């Protein structure tokens, strides 16, 4: 398993942007699919985006398509979530997660992931 630490959250006005970072420790970072999840108060944790372990293909929840971009830098053991045109409904604690996903190489199901960061708060408000 990897140790993960998120950063980059904060308060932003609607329409603004934030870039979240996920720093991973471990020598086999490129073996892992990296996913971003979020959890708002009183709601279940939901998958936002995933970048696969095989080919770097990316996957997004419908609610963030066209606004969020996931990326990774395997040489630096880093993953990123660029969030543009933020909306109040994007307010949540955001988590990065890592897992060696066989088959498709990606997932947006929280139960599929064993390595999690501590989360970073994103608040979108005027």
């Amino acid at each position: 398993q990897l140790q993960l630490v998120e950063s980059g959250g904060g308060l932003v006005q609607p329409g603004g942007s934030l870039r979240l970072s996920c720093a991973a420790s471990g020598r086999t970072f490129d073996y892992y699919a990296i996913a971003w999840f979020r959890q708002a108060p009183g709601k279940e944790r939901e998958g936002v985006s995933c970048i696969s372990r095989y080919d770097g293909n990316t996957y997004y929840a419908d609610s963030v398509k066209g606004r969020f971009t996931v990326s990774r830098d395997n040489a630096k053991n880093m993953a990123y979530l660029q969030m543009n045109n933020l909306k109040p409904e994007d307010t949540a604690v955001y988590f990065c997660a890592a897992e060696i996903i066989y088959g498709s190489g990606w997932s947006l199901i929280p139960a599929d992931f064993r390595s999690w960061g501590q989360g970073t708060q994103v608040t979108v408000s005027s």
Side-chain angles (χ1 to χ4, degrees):
Q1 296 185 15
L2 298 180
Q3 303 297 318
L4 305 174
V5 178
E6 303 96 336
S7 61
L11 174 63
V12 64
Q13 292 186 342
S17 298
L18 282 175
R19 187 195 196 205
L20 304 184
S21 297
C22 176
S25 63
R27 295 178 295 173
T28 56
F29 179 73
D30 56 331
Y31 286 13
Y32 289 77
I34 304 297
W36 289 91
F37 294 86
R38 65 186 181 187
Q39 189 165 19
K43 294 188 176 182
E44 293 186 353
R45 192 167 297 190
E46 65 168 337
V48 173
S49 182
C50 185
I51 185 164
S52 72
R53 63 180 287 242
Y54 295 126
D55 49 15
N57 280 349
T58 57
Y59 305 88
Y60 300 93
D62 288 343
S63 58
V64 305
K65 280 181 182 176
R67 300 189 297 122
F68 290 12
T69 303
V70 62
S71 61
R72 65 191 298 165
D73 184 339
N74 290 337
K76 296 181 178 179
N77 278 18
M78 294 290 297
Y80 307 96
L81 185 68
Q82 177 67 42
M83 305 185 296
N84 298 329
N85 191 22
L86 283 160
K87 303 175 180 180
E89 52 264 42
D90 294 318
T91 296
V93 178
Y94 283 71
F95 301 87
C96 66
E99 187 56 70
I100 299 175
I101 305 290
Y102 295 99
S104 68
W106 72 278
S107 175
L108 285 177
I109 301 172
D112 287 345
F113 291 81
R114 290 177 292 171
S115 299
W116 290 85
Q118 82 289 350
T120 185
Q121 177 70 46
V122 172
T123 302
V124 185
S125 175
S126 56

